[in-house]
Each structure stands twice: as structure tokens, then as C-alpha cells.
Coordinates of all heavy atoms in Angstrom, one line a residue:
H294 N -37.0 -21.2 -21.3 CA -36.8 -22.6 -21.9 C -35.9 -23.4 -20.9 O -34.8 -22.9 -20.5 CB -36.1 -22.5 -23.2 CG -36.9 -21.6 -24.2 ND1 -37.8 -22.0 -25.0 CD2 -36.7 -20.3 -24.4 CE1 -38.3 -21.0 -25.8 NE2 -37.6 -19.9 -25.4
F295 N -36.4 -24.5 -20.5 CA -35.7 -25.3 -19.5 C -35.1 -26.5 -20.1 O -35.7 -27.3 -20.8 CB -36.7 -25.8 -18.4 CG -37.4 -24.6 -17.7 CD1 -38.6 -24.1 -18.2 CD2 -36.9 -24.1 -16.6 CE1 -39.2 -23.1 -17.7 CE2 -37.5 -23.0 -16.0 CZ -38.6 -22.5 -16.5
H296 N -33.7 -26.6 -20.0 CA -32.9 -27.7 -20.5 C -32.4 -28.6 -19.4 O -31.4 -28.3 -18.8 CB -31.7 -27.1 -21.3 CG -32.2 -26.0 -22.3 ND1 -32.5 -26.4 -23.7 CD2 -32.3 -24.7 -22.2 CE1 -32.8 -25.2 -24.3 NE2 -32.7 -24.2 -23.4
A297 N -33.2 -29.6 -19.1 CA -32.9 -30.5 -18.0 C -32.0 -31.6 -18.5 O -32.3 -32.4 -19.4 CB -34.2 -31.1 -17.4
G298 N -30.9 -31.9 -17.8 CA -30.0 -32.9 -18.1 C -28.5 -32.5 -17.9 O -28.3 -31.4 -17.7
W299 N -27.6 -33.4 -18.1 CA -26.2 -33.1 -18.0 C -25.8 -32.3 -19.1 O -26.3 -32.4 -20.3 CB -25.4 -34.4 -17.8 CG -25.8 -35.2 -16.7 CD1 -26.4 -36.4 -16.7 CD2 -25.5 -34.9 -15.3 NE1 -26.6 -36.9 -15.5 CE2 -26.1 -36.0 -14.6 CE3 -24.9 -33.9 -14.6 CZ2 -26.1 -36.0 -13.2 CZ3 -24.9 -33.9 -13.2 CH2 -25.5 -35.0 -12.5
F300 N -24.9 -31.4 -18.9 CA -24.4 -30.4 -20.0 C -23.9 -31.1 -21.2 O -24.2 -30.6 -22.3 CB -23.4 -29.5 -19.4 CG -23.7 -28.6 -18.4 CD1 -22.8 -28.1 -17.5 CD2 -25.1 -28.2 -18.3 CE1 -23.2 -27.2 -16.5 CE2 -25.5 -27.3 -17.3 CZ -24.5 -26.8 -16.4
E301 N -23.3 -32.2 -21.1 CA -22.8 -32.9 -22.3 C -24.0 -33.4 -23.1 O -23.8 -33.6 -24.4 CB -21.9 -34.1 -22.0 CG -22.5 -35.1 -21.1 CD -22.1 -34.9 -19.6 OE1 -22.0 -33.7 -19.2 OE2 -21.9 -35.9 -18.9
E302 N -25.1 -33.5 -22.6 CA -26.3 -33.9 -23.4 C -27.0 -32.7 -23.9 O -27.4 -32.6 -25.1 CB -27.2 -34.7 -22.5 CG -26.6 -36.0 -21.9 CD -27.4 -36.5 -20.7 OE1 -28.4 -35.9 -20.3 OE2 -27.1 -37.6 -20.2
T303 N -27.3 -31.7 -23.0 CA -28.1 -30.6 -23.4 C -27.4 -29.5 -24.2 O -28.1 -28.7 -24.9 CB -28.7 -29.9 -22.2 OG1 -27.7 -29.5 -21.3 CG2 -29.7 -30.9 -21.5
L304 N -26.1 -29.5 -24.1 CA -25.4 -28.4 -24.9 C -24.7 -28.9 -26.1 O -24.2 -28.1 -26.9 CB -24.3 -27.8 -24.0 CG -24.7 -26.9 -22.8 CD1 -23.5 -26.6 -21.9 CD2 -25.3 -25.7 -23.4
S305 N -24.8 -30.2 -26.4 CA -24.0 -30.8 -27.5 C -24.3 -30.2 -28.9 O -23.4 -30.0 -29.7 CB -24.2 -32.3 -27.6 OG -25.5 -32.6 -27.8
D306 N -25.6 -29.8 -29.1 CA -26.0 -29.2 -30.4 C -26.9 -28.0 -30.2 O -27.6 -27.7 -31.1 CB -26.6 -30.3 -31.3 CG -27.9 -30.9 -30.7 OD1 -28.2 -30.6 -29.4 OD2 -28.6 -31.7 -31.3
F307 N -26.7 -27.3 -29.1 CA -27.6 -26.2 -28.8 C -27.2 -25.0 -29.6 O -26.0 -24.5 -29.6 CB -27.5 -25.8 -27.3 CG -28.3 -24.6 -26.9 CD1 -29.7 -24.6 -26.9 CD2 -27.6 -23.4 -26.6 CE1 -30.4 -23.5 -26.5 CE2 -28.3 -22.3 -26.3 CZ -29.7 -22.3 -26.2
K308 N -28.2 -24.5 -30.3 CA -28.1 -23.2 -31.0 C -29.2 -22.3 -30.5 O -30.4 -22.6 -30.6 CB -28.2 -23.4 -32.5 CG -27.2 -24.2 -33.2 CD -25.8 -23.5 -33.1 CE -24.7 -24.4 -33.8 NZ -24.4 -25.6 -33.0
C309 N -28.7 -21.2 -29.9 CA -29.6 -20.3 -29.2 C -30.6 -19.7 -30.2 O -30.2 -19.4 -31.4 CB -28.9 -19.2 -28.4 SG -29.9 -18.5 -27.1
D310 N -31.8 -19.4 -29.8 CA -32.8 -18.7 -30.7 C -32.6 -17.2 -30.9 O -33.2 -16.7 -31.7 CB -34.2 -18.9 -30.0 CG -34.4 -18.4 -28.6 OD1 -33.3 -17.9 -28.1 OD2 -35.4 -18.5 -28.1
A311 N -31.6 -16.7 -30.2 CA -31.2 -15.3 -30.4 C -29.8 -15.1 -30.0 O -29.3 -16.0 -29.2 CB -32.1 -14.4 -29.6
P312 N -29.1 -14.0 -30.5 CA -27.7 -13.8 -29.9 C -27.8 -13.7 -28.4 O -28.7 -13.2 -27.8 CB -27.4 -12.5 -30.6 CG -28.2 -12.4 -31.8 CD -29.6 -13.1 -31.4
I313 N -26.8 -14.2 -27.7 CA -26.7 -14.1 -26.3 C -26.0 -12.9 -25.8 O -24.9 -12.6 -26.3 CB -25.9 -15.4 -25.8 CG1 -26.6 -16.7 -26.2 CG2 -25.8 -15.3 -24.2 CD1 -25.9 -17.9 -25.9
S314 N -26.6 -12.1 -25.0 CA -25.9 -11.0 -24.4 C -25.5 -11.1 -22.9 O -24.7 -10.5 -22.4 CB -26.8 -9.7 -24.6 OG -27.9 -9.8 -23.7
I315 N -26.2 -12.1 -22.2 CA -25.8 -12.4 -20.9 C -25.6 -14.0 -20.8 O -26.5 -14.7 -21.1 CB -26.9 -12.0 -19.9 CG1 -27.0 -10.5 -19.9 CG2 -26.5 -12.5 -18.5 CD1 -28.2 -10.0 -19.1
L316 N -24.4 -14.3 -20.4 CA -24.1 -15.8 -20.2 C -23.5 -15.9 -18.7 O -22.4 -15.5 -18.4 CB -23.0 -16.2 -21.2 CG -22.5 -17.7 -21.1 CD1 -23.5 -18.7 -21.0 CD2 -21.4 -17.9 -22.1
R317 N -24.3 -16.6 -18.0 CA -24.0 -16.7 -16.6 C -23.6 -18.2 -16.3 O -24.5 -19.1 -16.4 CB -25.1 -16.2 -15.6 CG -24.7 -16.2 -14.1 CD -25.7 -15.6 -13.2 NE -25.1 -15.4 -11.9 CZ -25.0 -16.5 -11.0 NH1 -25.5 -17.7 -11.4 NH2 -24.5 -16.3 -9.9
L318 N -22.4 -18.5 -15.9 CA -22.0 -19.8 -15.6 C -21.9 -20.1 -14.1 O -21.1 -19.4 -13.4 CB -20.6 -20.1 -16.2 CG -20.5 -20.0 -17.7 CD1 -19.2 -20.4 -18.3 CD2 -21.7 -20.7 -18.5
D319 N -22.6 -21.0 -13.6 CA -22.5 -21.5 -12.2 C -22.3 -23.0 -12.3 O -23.1 -23.8 -11.8 CB -23.8 -21.2 -11.5 CG -23.7 -21.4 -10.0 OD1 -22.7 -21.9 -9.5 OD2 -24.6 -21.0 -9.3
A320 N -21.3 -23.4 -13.1 CA -21.1 -24.8 -13.4 C -20.1 -25.5 -12.5 O -19.9 -26.7 -12.7 CB -20.5 -24.9 -14.9
D321 N -19.5 -24.8 -11.5 CA -18.7 -25.3 -10.5 C -17.3 -26.0 -11.0 O -16.3 -25.4 -10.7 CB -19.4 -26.4 -9.7 CG -20.5 -25.7 -8.8 OD1 -21.6 -25.5 -9.4 OD2 -20.4 -25.3 -7.7
W322 N -17.4 -27.1 -11.7 CA -16.2 -27.9 -11.9 C -15.6 -27.6 -13.3 O -16.2 -27.0 -14.1 CB -16.5 -29.3 -11.8 CG -17.2 -29.8 -10.6 CD1 -18.1 -30.9 -10.6 CD2 -17.2 -29.4 -9.3 NE1 -18.6 -31.0 -9.4 CE2 -18.0 -30.2 -8.5 CE3 -16.4 -28.3 -8.6 CZ2 -18.2 -30.0 -7.1 CZ3 -16.6 -28.2 -7.3 CH2 -17.4 -29.0 -6.5
Y323 N -14.3 -28.0 -13.4 CA -13.6 -27.8 -14.6 C -14.3 -28.3 -15.9 O -14.5 -27.6 -16.8 CB -12.2 -28.4 -14.5 CG -11.3 -28.2 -15.7 CD1 -10.4 -27.2 -15.8 CD2 -11.3 -29.2 -16.8 CE1 -9.6 -27.0 -16.9 CE2 -10.5 -29.0 -17.9 CZ -9.7 -27.9 -18.0 OH -8.9 -27.7 -19.1
A324 N -14.6 -29.6 -15.9 CA -15.2 -30.2 -17.1 C -16.5 -29.5 -17.4 O -16.8 -29.3 -18.6 CB -15.4 -31.7 -16.8
S325 N -17.3 -29.2 -16.5 CA -18.6 -28.6 -16.8 C -18.4 -27.2 -17.3 O -19.1 -26.8 -18.3 CB -19.4 -28.5 -15.5 OG -19.7 -29.8 -15.0
T326 N -17.5 -26.5 -16.7 CA -17.3 -25.1 -17.2 C -16.7 -25.1 -18.7 O -17.2 -24.3 -19.5 CB -16.3 -24.4 -16.3 OG1 -16.9 -24.4 -15.0 CG2 -16.0 -22.9 -16.7
I327 N -15.8 -26.0 -19.0 CA -15.3 -26.1 -20.3 C -16.4 -26.4 -21.3 O -16.5 -25.8 -22.4 CB -14.2 -27.2 -20.4 CG1 -12.8 -26.6 -19.8 CG2 -13.9 -27.6 -21.8 CD1 -12.1 -25.6 -20.7
L328 N -17.3 -27.3 -20.9 CA -18.3 -27.7 -21.8 C -19.2 -26.5 -22.1 O -19.6 -26.2 -23.3 CB -19.2 -28.8 -21.2 CG -18.7 -30.2 -21.3 CD1 -19.6 -31.1 -20.4 CD2 -18.9 -30.6 -22.7
C329 N -19.6 -25.7 -21.1 CA -20.4 -24.5 -21.3 C -19.7 -23.5 -22.2 O -20.3 -22.9 -23.0 CB -20.7 -23.8 -19.9 SG -21.7 -24.9 -18.8
L330 N -18.4 -23.3 -21.9 CA -17.7 -22.3 -22.7 C -17.6 -22.7 -24.2 O -17.8 -21.8 -25.1 CB -16.2 -22.1 -22.1 CG -16.1 -21.4 -20.8 CD1 -14.8 -21.5 -20.2 CD2 -16.5 -19.9 -20.9

């Protein structure tokens, strides 16, 4: 599943279709990493 767009848009209400066992962050900056977490 491809979620194209800035994290504040694509992650704002994201609920995964299954429990997550691998979460890999390559978000670089502070604000982006915080949003992902």
C-alpha cells in the first residue's frame, strides 16, 4: 500500500490493517520523526 504525500497528511488518521511488527523510520528530521512516532 503506497501512501504518497507529506506525513502530516497521510498519517493523520492512519489505522493499520494489521498489528505492526516492523516499523522502519527514515524520516530524517525532527518534525517528521515525531509525526511518525
Side-chain angles (χ1 to χ4, degrees):
H294 308 272
F295 301 89
H296 307 269
W299 301 109
F300 292 154
E301 56 264 36
E302 303 163 354
T303 56
L304 288 170
S305 61
D306 58 357
F307 175 72
K308 295 293 183 288
C309 199
D310 55 357
I313 300 169
S314 66
I315 298 171
L316 173 57
R317 188 175 186 281
L318 300 188
D319 193 353
D321 292 82
W322 310 146
Y323 180 91
S325 301
T326 302
I327 283 285
L328 278 168
C329 294
L330 290 168

